Amino acid sequence: MISRADVRRIQELPDNAMVLMAVVNDNPANVDNGGGALQTRVKVAMQEAGVPPTVMKQVLDDLARPRTHHGKSALYVVSGDDESLERFDINADLPERFHYGRPLGSLVAGILDLLPTVAVLAVDREWARFFLLRQGELAEIRRHENVRLDDGERWDTLTSSTRHVPGAPGTGGQGSGPRSDSGTDLFEDREDANQQRFYNRMAAELGELMTRRDINALILVGPVQRVAEFKAEIPDKAPYEVIGETNVTGGAGWVNPAEILDKIGPIVEDHRQKTEAALLDQIQEQGVMEVERVLEMIQEARIYRLVIPGDGSQMNLYRSHNREVPYFTSRKDVTESPLDGSLMERVTLEEVLPDLIDLYGIEVRRVHGDHAERLVREFGGLAGLPRY
């Protein structure tokens, strides 16, 4: 897993450093990784990316080492200067990438975009367990048990208060006659009130946890009726969205996290697909399209959200060589910057994303698969939402 500190450190690597950044799908369950196929495929890909032999050897040696704990993919960051190697295991099948050159902070951002962080609450009458899904791994963060009724309010104590109704036919005096269910009703009323207090408390704490961790998506897990009852306690203006619900066997207190992970995977993917589709619909109604027009408006500080296909590595732009007087265009016929006459250099969109973010304060959103194809086909490859 890549921690926030790791992300920050990778994104702050010196711009002039020579670094290998590689995403390798080394999932042992993948039939394409059997035998020496994994090392052969990675070696060819690194050769095509121009990776020096010494750096290449470090990665290949690391892939050959046996592991007791294994993710499905690995991110390698290897400095070409001091040849220090870092490996981050990620529990998700990711598309392979190999880049050697200046650091690409957007490569890490692209991984995190594909694997959004989602909160999960498993809840029933007895338990509330809070999980975080990060980079394909589900970790339990907190759990609470509903405090049961004390001895003075136990079922047998309360139900023993059922009594015979005096004066009823067939009575033999006080204490005989038809029975009243007042004790049973009292117990159920107190159980319901206790449950509601528990749900209210958990809903309040949930809001604080989600806000503190800057998470806006929640999945509820548990028996259908209990999930519905808890959901009714969530405030209308909660700082998060319930993106799905599912049931599990064994109750919230005892369910295996692996079962939760299996159930929520499709919910997370479906939500990501819907979010990307909604973003493109918003672009169609309110956005700016076509690469050159979008670049012009970014440099006029008129775009606040930039929408790109995938990681941006497949799109080429031109950037002025003088970084002190930045200028960006998609036009091949512009060989010199109109601002200071400096030569233009051909780069990928992915390479200039950090500059666009730092200079113009834009927010980058990525779309994938069919949505990325639609962005290229219908919107010209790049789109943005204007500030005004």
Side-chain angles (χ1 to χ4, degrees):
M1 183 179 292
I2 313 171
S3 70
R4 292 184 179 180
D6 294 329
V7 171
R8 186 164 54 250
R9 182 165 40 78
I10 293 170
Q11 292 180 333
E12 291 175 354
L13 287 171
D15 186 59
N16 59 354
M18 295 299 288
V19 178
L20 167 66
M21 301 184 71
V23 179
V24 179
N25 186 314
D26 59 346
N27 187 348
N30 188 340
V31 294
D32 294 332
N33 292 335
L38 173 62
Q39 281 79 359
T40 300
R41 185 180 73 248
V42 171
K43 181 177 181 180
V44 171
M46 287 194 292
Q47 288 174 335
E48 293 174 349
V51 179
T54 52
V55 174
M56 191 184 309
K57 183 177 185 302
Q58 281 187 282
V59 174
L60 294 175
D61 288 347
D62 185 80
L63 284 173
R65 292 190 182 101
R67 288 181 172 80
T68 55
H69 301 286
H70 209 296
K72 296 179 180 178
S73 300
L75 168 66
Y76 284 97
V77 180
V78 188
S79 170
D81 299 325
D82 58 13
E83 299 183 4
S84 60
L85 179 144
E86 290 186 283
R87 172 193 170 109
F88 306 94
D89 289 315
I90 302 169
N91 193 33
D93 287 305
L94 297 173
E96 292 189 327
R97 289 283 312 281
F98 297 88
H99 165 82
Y100 184 75
R102 290 176 174 174
L104 284 180
S106 59
L107 187 146
V108 179
I111 293 174
L112 300 181
D113 241 28
L114 276 171
L115 303 171
T117 299
V118 174
V120 180
L121 184 73
V123 65
D124 57 21
R125 275 196 166 194
E126 297 183 351
W127 289 96
R129 298 169 65 191
F130 183 76
F131 299 83
L132 278 187
L133 176 67
R134 293 184 63 240
Q135 300 171 35
E137 297 184 19
L138 189 68
E140 184 171 353
I141 305 300
R142 190 170 299 185
R143 71 164 62 195
H144 290 286
E145 183 179 9
N146 187 8
V147 178
R148 310 309 300 160
L149 299 175
D150 61 30
D151 287 343
E153 296 177 328
R154 286 171 48 200
W155 166 267
D156 53 359
T157 304
L158 289 171
T159 55
S160 67
S161 66
T162 57
R163 62 192 185 279
H164 295 280
V165 180
T171 63
Q174 188 171 354
S176 62
R179 297 182 62 85
S180 166
D181 291 329
S182 60
T184 302
D185 293 342
L186 178 61
F187 177 83
E188 292 179 350
D189 288 345
R190 291 190 178 182
E191 277 278 84
D192 290 342
N194 187 55
Q195 173 190 299
Q196 186 164 2
R197 285 194 298 271
F198 179 61
Y199 286 172
N200 282 337
R201 188 167 70 252
M202 291 305 100
E205 183 171 327
L206 181 64
E208 295 174 4
L209 283 170
M210 300 284 281
T211 301
R212 191 184 315 141
R213 296 174 180 272
D214 194 26
I215 303 171
N216 54 25
L218 172 70
I219 298 174
L220 295 176
V221 174
V224 174
Q225 181 180 346
R226 303 308 175 205
V227 165
E229 291 166 347
F230 176 81
K231 194 174 179 181
E233 304 303 324
I234 297 177
D236 292 337
K237 296 183 179 180
Y240 54 86
E241 175 190 2
V242 178
I243 65 170
E245 305 166 17
T246 186
N247 197 0
V248 291
T249 58
W254 314 107
V255 62
N256 189 324
E259 182 186 351
I260 295 178
L261 188 60
D262 288 341
K263 290 286 188 74
I264 67 175
I267 296 175
V268 174
E269 177 60 20
D270 183 60
H271 177 67
R272 186 177 68 81
Q273 294 283 352
K274 289 178 178 177
T275 301
E276 292 185 5
L279 179 61
L280 293 186
D281 290 343
Q282 185 183 13
I283 289 291
Q284 191 167 34
E285 294 177 5
Q286 308 168 12
V288 179
M289 308 170 200
E290 301 294 342
V291 177
E292 190 63 22
R293 178 60 177 151
V294 172
L295 289 176
E296 288 175 358
M297 291 187 65
I298 287 176
Q299 293 171 91
E300 294 168 356
R302 295 172 59 192
I303 297 290
Y304 75 91
R305 179 174 293 165
L306 176 66
V307 183
I308 70 172
D311 53 32
S313 62
Q314 304 302 314
M315 180 179 294
N316 291 305
L317 306 175
Y318 297 87
R319 172 178 60 188
S320 57
H321 193 270
N322 182 3
R323 307 290 286 277
E324 299 299 320
V325 187
Y327 177 73
F328 306 90
T329 183
S330 63
R331 293 172 54 190
K332 297 179 181 180
D333 60 337
V334 178
T335 58
E336 296 181 354
S337 168
L339 302 181
D340 67 347
S342 63
L343 294 176
M344 303 297 292
E345 58 179 344
R346 188 171 183 261
V347 292
T348 65
L349 171 61
E350 185 176 35
E351 291 177 90
V352 302
L353 283 177
D355 292 336
L356 298 179
I357 293 170
D358 292 340
L359 291 169
Y360 308 109
I362 61 171
E363 169 195 337
V364 176
R365 297 285 295 276
R366 295 168 173 81
V367 292
H368 308 83
D370 293 341
H371 302 300
E373 293 179 8
R374 182 186 172 198
L375 179 63
V376 173
R377 183 178 64 253
E378 299 181 18
F379 302 154
L382 211 59
L385 289 170
R387 299 182 192 273
Y388 51 86

